[in-house]
């Protein structure tokens, strides 16, 4: 039976059998439609990409204030469109390894302080110019300049000198960092002619699509770049289009009505409904993003570790995962790392334990209610999650007072200012990045006010360590420290939930970000 | 035209300009008391103190408010709306397309809604208190009573998802053929029509019924004119002032009140543009859009007033 299905699905991929006929025959063989569909898409992948057509995505996360300047990219639409027109120095491949793009080779000195990037020959910018080491160096310079507004500035500050030397770029770091290549995969670091110093928002790079229409907040259109250096791998559709649809209902309707081929951010509560729509495939996969409640370790009453522990034990993670995320996520364990990181190690799962929570709460000596600030924008379902938390904490004798803050201004008035609030993190590509961004004493975004010199030392030591086994052990110790002493309550890691319509082939599950790490439009194709 | 009308009209226009000036002060003051500032909003969650300081300086946020107000007002008077702080784009250019889109949508909604509402109002008067009148009033009131997003979603569900007759999203762009454009806006225009219909219809009905009490209408009826002829020739012309008033009010709403509909249908108009920039604290854009909205509102009201003045025989034929 499966031989016959295999044969049939290959015929569909080859365009010799219609999809409808295939599904009919599969049904006759007793195969359910979703399974038959997945067979088809794997067959299509095996058959290879189909060129042509216009691939459209309806995405949340675009505003009329967006710019094509990679330094200013913040939200999902510039991110996803950026991956279509931009080319990176290196990129994370879906299996977590590094994939060389404009850099052909990356090597470091033994102490991981001096890094050499060898620039690939014959990569062409959209304006016809060849990508040189100077362009790459200028790009890095622009993003590491103290005056830069770049979202990558935080990571790039660690670079002391950048030199273009023939076909090579040599980076000297202030401190050793074994993870530098991972930092270079930051999505802001799109290589631009002369680093984008002349015209940062010109939208010119060496990606698979050329910018054709740029109407921020409305739509972005890319036209296939004929001279893309790896045209066999990406850039299958003749044209790609991103339509900005911030309203969740409108986005779903556009997919159902066939105006777009893929959408992002399907709400967990409607996933089961959408699954029933014929031709629509839900693409959910786990990533490093997580939903959190954060306490400032240096502000009363959260400066007491017993109280922090009581609050960590008073949250019912499983209930929250099931009710808020409808199971589209995984349990968190109060440290910001999960299996999507390369050097992750398991630590015993913390469970809801009202008795133990009660014990620690008594021991802390705190009395009275604790104010938790929350908002719809903290993460989807944050207000519901806060209320669930309030109930589970009440069973442990801890009174949580929930304050619902307006979404407008939440990120500058509440988050990283108030001592206890709901928030989210998109995660980073390496543990070092995650810890350096939010748990180093000096980090700008240390939103738990976790300031421990011993922890800082561990971060720096792990960063410089090139022996993987040793590093793994170091990260394990750091995770335990954050979990048992930090100010982070992490009930759940969320999944990215995207959806595609009929005829979309070549989807790649990628744990790093939504929409195949932003490459869905570049990597997918329209089946004939 | 005789002098009292000219004088009244001139007064009305002068008042409008004064009002617009007052509104400009209010808009400016309003944007100043929003929490947070544009630099923080642009950088969002990933703002670092250094990048914040750099951006503030670059955007000139360090100057006092009143200086920035007069600077802005001077620009507006010379046709320069400034540049958007968040994206660096020229506001006048961005607004031009958006405003055109909004007016296009409002135009088509009005083309359908205004004649429909007035006709329905006339029919309702003709069959007043009968079942036709009640049916028209009932349906119109029902469509108005539903929130716009509900009507919008219903239309999308039925006409876009279930039957796929019209697109669920109304993204229009430059160079789009007129036919396609009209098809794209069919659903939002219908939603808007349903929203404004009842108000105009009920007002038309009430205004004409009011006139129907007059002695001259009775005379006309006694003359033996048909019911429609009485309404058309005698009642309607005398009820025109209040009808124009409510039509203008609804036209203004079609331009400035369509934020929700624009968001649901992903229509690139002024409403969506304003919302995006409010969340970014992009003060120059918020001010510009607010001022344009105020200007639309005020000028439509002036037109309604002038129409009422001109339609008033006592002013047309002064003693």
């Amino acid at each position: 039976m499966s031989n016959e299905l295999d044969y049939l699905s290959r015929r569909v991929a080859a365009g010799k059998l219609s999809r409808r006929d295939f599904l009919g025959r599969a049904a006759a063989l007793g195969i359910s439609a979703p399974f038959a569909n997945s067979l088809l898409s794997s067959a299509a992948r095996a058959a290879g990409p189909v060129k042509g057509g216009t691939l459209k995505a309806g995405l949340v996360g675009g505003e009329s204030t967006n710019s094509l300047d990679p330094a200013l990219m913040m939200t999902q639409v510039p991110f996803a469109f950026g991956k279509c027109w931009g080319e990176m120095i290196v990129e994370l491949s879906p299996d977590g390894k590094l994939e060389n793009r404009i850099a052909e080779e990356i090597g470091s000195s033994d102490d991981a302080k001096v890094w050499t990037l060898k620039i690939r020959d014959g990569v062409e910018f959209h304006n016809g110019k060849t990508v040189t080491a100077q362009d790459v160096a200028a790009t890095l310079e622009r993003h590491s300049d103290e005056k830069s507004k770049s979202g990558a500035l935080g990571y790039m500050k660690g670079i002391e000198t950048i030199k273009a030397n023939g076909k090579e770029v040599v980076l000297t770091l202030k401190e050793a960092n074994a993870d530098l290549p991972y930092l270079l995969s930051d999505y802001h670091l799109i290589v631009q002619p002369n680093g984008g110093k002349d015209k940062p928002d010109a939208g010119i790079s060496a990606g698979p699509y050329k910018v054709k229409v740029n109407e921020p907040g409305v739509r972005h259109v890319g036209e296939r770049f004929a001279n893309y250096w790896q045209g066999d791998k990406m850039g299958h559709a003749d044209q790609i289009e991103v339509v900005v649809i911030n309203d969740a209902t409108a986005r779903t309707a556009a997919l159902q009505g066939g105006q777009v081929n893929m959408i992002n951010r399907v709400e967990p509560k409607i996933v089961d409904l959408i699954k029933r729509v014929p031709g629509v495939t839900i693409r959910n996969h786990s990533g490093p993003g997580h939903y959190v409640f954060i306490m400032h370790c240096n502000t009363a009453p959260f400066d007491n570790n017993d109280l922090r522990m009581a609050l960590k034990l008073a949250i019912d993670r499983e209930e929250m995962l099931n009710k808020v995320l409808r199971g589209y996520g995984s349990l968190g364990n109060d440290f910001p790392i999960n299996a999507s990181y390369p050097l992750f190690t398991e630590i015993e799962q913390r469970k809801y334990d009202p008795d133990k929570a009660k014990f620690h709460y008594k021991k802390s000596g705190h009395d009275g209610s604790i104010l938790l600030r929350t908002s719809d924008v903290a993460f989807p379902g944050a207000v519901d999650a806060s209320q669930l938390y309030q109930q589970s904490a009440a069973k442990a004798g801890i009174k949580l007072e929930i304050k619902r803050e307006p979404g407008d201004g939440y990120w500058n008035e509440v988050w990283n200012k108030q001592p206890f609030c709901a928030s989210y993190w998109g995660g980073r590509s390496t543990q070092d990045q995650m810890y350096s961004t939010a748990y180093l004493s000096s980090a700008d975004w240390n939103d738990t006010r976790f300031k421990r010199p011993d922890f800082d030392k561990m971060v720096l030591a792990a960063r410089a360590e090139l022996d993987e086994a040793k590093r793994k052990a170091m990260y394990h110790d750091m995770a335990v420290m954050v979990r048992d002493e930090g100010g982070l309550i992490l009930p759940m890691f969320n999944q990215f939930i995207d959806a595609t319509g009929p005829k979309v082939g070549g989807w790649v599950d990628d744990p790093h970000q939504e929409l195949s790490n932003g490459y869905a439009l570049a990597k997918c194709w329209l089946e004939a | 035209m005789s002098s009292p009308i000219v004088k009244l009209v001139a007064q009305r226009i002068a008042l409008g300009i004064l009002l617009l000036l007052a509104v400009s002060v209010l808009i400016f003051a309003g944007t100043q008391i929003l929490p947070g500032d544009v630099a923080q909003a642009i950088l969002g969650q990933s703002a670092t103190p250094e990048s914040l300081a750099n951006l503030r300086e670059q955007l000139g946020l360090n100057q006092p408010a009143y200086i920035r107000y007069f600077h802005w007002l001077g620009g507006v008077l010379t046709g320069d709306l400034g540049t958007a702080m968040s994206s660096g784009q020229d506001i006048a250019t961005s607004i031009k397309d958006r405003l055109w889109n909004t007016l296009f949508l409002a135009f088509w909604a009005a083309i359908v809604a205004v004649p429909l509402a007035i006709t329905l109002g006339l029919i309702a008067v003709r069959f007043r208190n009968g079942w036709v009148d009640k049916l028209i009033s009932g349906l119109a009131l029902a469509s108005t009573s539903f929130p716009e997003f509900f009507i919008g979603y219903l239309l999308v569900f039925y006409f876009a998802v279930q039957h796929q007759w019209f697109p669920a999203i109304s993204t229009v762009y430059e160079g789009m053929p007129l036919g396609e454009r009209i098809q794209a806006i069919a659903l939002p225009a219908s939603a808007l029509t349903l929203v404004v219909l009842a108000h105009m219809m009920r007002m038309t009905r009430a205004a004409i019924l009011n006139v129907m009490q007059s002695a001259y209408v009775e005379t006309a009826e006694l003359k033996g004119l048909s019911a429609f002829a009485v309404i058309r020739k005698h009642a309607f012309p005398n009820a025109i002032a209040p009808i124009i008033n409510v039509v203008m009010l609804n036209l203004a709403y079609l331009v400035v009140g369509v934020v929700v509909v624009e968001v649901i249908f992903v229509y690139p108009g002024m409403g969506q543009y304003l919302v995006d920039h409010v969340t970014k604290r992009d003060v120059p854009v918020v001010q510009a859009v607010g001022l344009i909205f105020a200007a639309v509102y005020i000028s439509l009201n002036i037109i309604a007033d002038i129409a009422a003045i001109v339609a008033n025989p006592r002013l047309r034929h002064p003693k």
Side-chain angles (χ1 to χ4, degrees):
Chain A
M1 183 175 93
S2 78
N3 279 344
E4 184 173 353
L5 273 177
D6 270 356
Y7 167 73
L8 289 175
S9 59
R10 278 199 311 275
R11 297 213 11 122
V12 179
K16 289 179 180 146
L17 182 69
S18 85
R19 192 183 174 84
R20 184 181 292 267
D21 286 345
F22 173 79
L23 290 177
R25 290 198 206 174
L29 288 166
I31 305 297
S32 71
F35 179 62
N37 263 320
S38 74
L39 262 180
L40 261 191
S41 57
S42 59
R45 205 171 303 148
V50 181
K51 295 272 171 187
T54 297
L55 199 59
K56 283 189 179 189
L59 307 181
V60 60
E63 292 145 332
S64 36
T65 51
N66 291 146
S67 152
L68 281 179
D69 180 355
L72 300 179
M73 288 180 177
M74 295 272 308
T75 47
Q76 297 90 328
V77 168
F79 163 74
F81 189 55
K83 297 259 174 159
C84 291
W85 64 263
E87 186 56 291
M88 314 287 296
I89 301 166
V90 281
E91 185 55 274
L92 293 167
S93 66
D95 58 4
K97 300 205 176 74
L98 281 166
E99 184 186 321
N100 290 330
R101 292 281 181 85
I102 284 181
E104 195 170 20
E105 223 179 278
I106 299 187
S108 81
S109 60
D110 289 340
D111 61 355
K113 264 188 135 170
V114 181
W115 288 81
T116 310
L117 318 177
K118 195 176 160 222
I119 303 307
R120 192 180 296 277
D121 274 330
V123 180
E124 194 182 309
F125 280 124
H126 298 154
N127 62 5
K129 208 178 142 279
T130 306
V131 180
T132 63
Q134 278 76 16
D135 295 315
V136 175
T139 300
L140 291 173
E141 273 165 25
R142 187 165 85 89
H143 290 272
S144 59
D145 180 6
E146 282 293 327
K147 287 217 167 99
S148 146
K149 288 171 278 173
S150 172
L153 179 62
Y155 319 135
M156 293 290 108
K157 275 193 290 197
I159 302 179
E160 195 163 61
T161 61
I162 302 165
K163 278 200 190 99
N165 191 355
K167 283 190 171 181
E168 289 180 345
V169 178
V170 182
L171 307 175
T172 315
L173 309 185
K174 289 175 189 149
E175 278 148 12
N177 190 345
D179 275 346
L180 182 93
Y182 289 95
L183 301 186
L184 296 179
S185 73
D186 183 291
Y187 68 91
H188 296 95
L189 300 178
I190 288 174
V191 177
Q192 293 172 281
N194 194 24
K197 285 177 176 173
D198 318 312
K199 206 165 177 289
D201 56 356
I204 290 180
S205 181
Y209 289 94
K210 284 196 279 190
V211 177
K212 189 176 167 196
V213 177
N214 177 48
E215 289 177 41
V218 183
R219 59 184 209 129
H220 305 270
V221 178
E223 193 179 30
R224 189 198 287 134
F225 176 42
N227 296 344
Y228 182 54
W229 67 279
Q230 47 174 6
D232 52 328
K233 286 195 183 153
M234 281 197 265
H236 304 306
D238 288 340
Q239 191 164 295
I240 52 111
E241 181 170 344
V242 177
V243 184
V244 180
I245 312 180
N246 289 323
D247 184 77
T249 315
R251 206 158 59 244
T252 324
L255 181 72
Q256 285 175 268
Q259 271 95 56
V260 297
N261 306 106
M262 59 180 75
I263 58 174
N264 64 346
R265 300 272 159 121
V266 178
E267 294 181 327
K269 60 185 172 194
I270 60 164
V271 168
D272 290 338
L273 295 173
I274 300 217
K275 273 186 175 166
R276 287 193 227 144
V277 179
V280 170
T281 315
I282 293 289
R283 312 281 187 174
N284 60 309
H285 53 100
S286 45
H290 45 279
Y291 296 167
V292 296
F293 297 97
I294 43 182
M295 307 176 275
H296 285 183
C297 297
N298 63 356
T299 312
F302 310 103
D303 52 355
N304 179 317
N305 198 38
D306 276 304
L307 184 89
R308 295 203 294 270
M309 189 55 86
L311 286 170
K312 288 175 190 175
L313 289 164
I315 194 164
D316 190 341
R317 295 148 212 276
E318 297 201 6
E319 185 192 28
M320 209 172 271
L321 176 65
N322 291 333
K323 290 190 175 159
V324 175
L325 291 184
R326 313 264 163 157
Y328 289 99
S330 56
L331 287 181
N333 202 7
D334 297 338
F335 63 101
I337 306 299
N338 66 357
S340 68
Y341 288 86
L343 300 175
F344 167 77
T345 38
E346 288 282 351
I347 299 177
E348 187 205 349
Q349 176 64 46
R350 178 167 286 148
K351 291 201 169 79
Y352 176 48
D353 191 336
D355 294 331
K356 244 184 175 171
K358 209 176 266 176
F359 166 77
H360 282 287
Y361 186 60
K362 278 231 172 79
K363 207 175 150 200
S364 77
H366 181 77
D367 203 22
S369 67
I370 294 169
L371 182 64
L372 168 63
R373 290 165 208 266
T374 186
S375 169
D376 286 328
V377 298
F379 57 84
V383 176
D384 300 337
S386 305
Q387 277 158 356
L388 285 175
Y389 190 10
Q390 186 181 37
Q391 286 167 16
S392 65
K395 285 185 199 144
I398 303 172
K399 198 172 167 236
L400 281 187
E401 190 190 326
I402 308 287
K403 186 169 182 205
R404 189 174 176 165
E405 300 274 358
D408 199 23
Y410 189 79
W411 298 115
N412 42 40
E413 305 290 318
V414 178
W415 173 77
N416 214 0
K417 293 232 166 66
Q418 299 294 344
F420 191 26
C421 72
S423 179
Y424 81 94
W425 275 94
R428 292 294 185 269
S429 49
T430 65
Q431 303 196 41
D432 176 61
Q433 260 182 297
M434 191 64 230
Y435 286 127
S436 311
T437 314
Y439 300 87
L440 266 185
S441 300
S442 58
D444 290 320
W445 300 336
N446 188 335
D447 57 6
T448 54
R449 303 290 185 272
F450 183 67
K451 298 190 175 174
R452 295 278 297 265
D454 46 347
F455 183 84
D456 296 352
K457 261 186 216 148
M458 289 161 88
V459 173
L460 296 184
R463 194 183 279 173
E465 179 59 62
L466 293 172
D467 181 339
E468 202 161 283
K470 278 189 197 160
R471 268 187 109 188
K472 219 166 166 173
M474 290 163 134
Y475 282 131
H476 174 269
D477 297 345
M478 284 154 65
V480 170
M481 197 163 164
V482 169
R483 176 179 181 267
D484 294 339
E485 292 161 46
L488 179 78
I489 302 171
L490 198 167
M492 53 205 175
F493 285 88
N494 59 300
Q495 288 188 343
F496 306 116
I497 313 176
D498 305 316
T500 52
K503 286 193 178 178
V504 174
W507 183 275
V508 183
D509 277 331
D510 191 314
H512 299 103
Q513 272 302 330
E514 61 177 29
L515 295 165
S516 298
N517 197 17
Y519 287 111
L521 281 169
K523 286 185 177 174
C524 288
W525 59 82
L526 281 170
E527 283 164 9
Chain B
M1 290 286 154
S2 48
S3 68
I5 292 190
V6 176
K7 200 176 150 209
L8 272 169
V9 168
Q11 261 178 1
R12 197 59 199 82
I13 290 173
L15 201 65
I17 291 170
L18 216 63
L19 200 60
L20 202 55
L21 211 61
V23 168
S24 79
V25 175
L26 279 181
I27 290 171
F28 192 83
T31 51
Q32 296 304 308
I33 51 180
L34 285 170
D37 75 347
V38 57
Q40 175 79 57
I42 292 172
L43 296 168
Q45 199 200 9
S46 56
T48 60
E50 304 98 82
S51 55
L52 266 180
N54 294 340
L55 194 57
R56 284 209 180 102
E57 196 187 314
Q58 191 190 326
L59 298 175
L61 290 172
N62 303 330
Q63 285 175 342
Y66 70 93
I67 290 186
R68 280 182 282 139
Y69 171 74
F70 284 109
H71 189 77
W72 170 63
L73 195 66
V76 171
L77 293 177
T78 52
D80 171 22
L81 295 173
T83 50
M85 285 179 160
S86 46
S87 60
Q89 286 167 328
D90 183 50
I91 297 177
T93 319
S94 324
I95 281 189
K96 202 180 65 196
D97 293 346
R98 298 275 187 160
L99 186 62
W100 162 242
N101 285 345
T102 290
L103 291 178
F104 184 75
L105 178 60
F107 173 77
W108 285 103
I111 283 279
V112 178
V114 172
L116 192 64
I118 292 176
T119 314
L120 286 176
L122 292 175
I123 294 174
V125 172
R126 166 64 184 83
F127 301 105
R128 59 182 167 280
N129 301 327
W131 66 269
V132 175
D133 180 22
K134 282 178 183 148
L135 183 75
I136 291 173
S137 293
L139 287 179
L141 281 177
S143 79
T144 301
S145 311
F146 288 123
E148 288 156 311
F149 68 85
F150 184 73
I151 294 181
Y153 285 152
L154 277 186
L155 292 175
V156 167
F157 179 72
Y158 193 76
F159 293 106
V161 173
Q162 295 250 303
H163 293 284
Q164 314 206 346
W165 291 338
F166 296 104
I169 50 171
S170 311
T171 324
V172 294
Y173 49 87
E174 228 185 296
M176 196 176 188
L178 185 69
E180 265 179 53
R181 206 178 249 265
I182 289 175
Q183 199 191 6
I185 65 154
L187 294 184
S190 316
L192 285 175
T193 300
L194 289 173
V195 167
V196 297
L197 191 64
H199 191 200
M200 288 191 284
M201 193 284 285
R202 301 276 301 171
M203 198 65 190
T204 306
R205 181 179 175 277
I208 297 177
L209 275 183
N210 200 20
V211 177
M212 296 291 272
Q213 319 287 336
S214 322
Y216 60 83
V217 170
E218 208 174 323
T219 315
E221 277 169 357
L222 291 173
K223 262 192 329 200
L225 287 180
S226 75
F228 258 126
V230 171
I231 295 172
R232 193 171 52 82
K233 280 193 182 152
H234 296 275
F236 184 67
N238 287 293
I240 209 140
I243 293 174
I244 287 179
N245 235 319
V246 73
V247 165
M248 288 302 165
L249 208 63
N250 281 291
L251 287 187
Y253 179 81
L254 286 180
V255 178
V256 309
V258 296
V259 177
V260 176
V261 170
E262 282 184 4
V263 170
I264 291 172
F265 290 97
V266 201
Y267 189 74
M270 295 285 280
Q272 186 121 54
Y273 186 69
L274 176 64
V275 169
D276 283 353
H277 288 82
V278 168
T279 40
K280 288 278 178 189
R281 305 280 174 275
D282 199 327
V283 176
V285 176
V286 176
Q287 289 165 338
V289 176
L291 204 62
I292 289 176
F293 278 0
V296 167
Y297 218 91
I298 291 173
S299 28
L300 284 174
N301 268 296
I302 292 178
I303 293 175
D305 284 359
I306 293 174
I309 292 168
V310 172
N312 187 339
R314 262 165 290 189
L315 288 166
R316 235 179 1 214
H317 308 289
K319 282 179 189 159

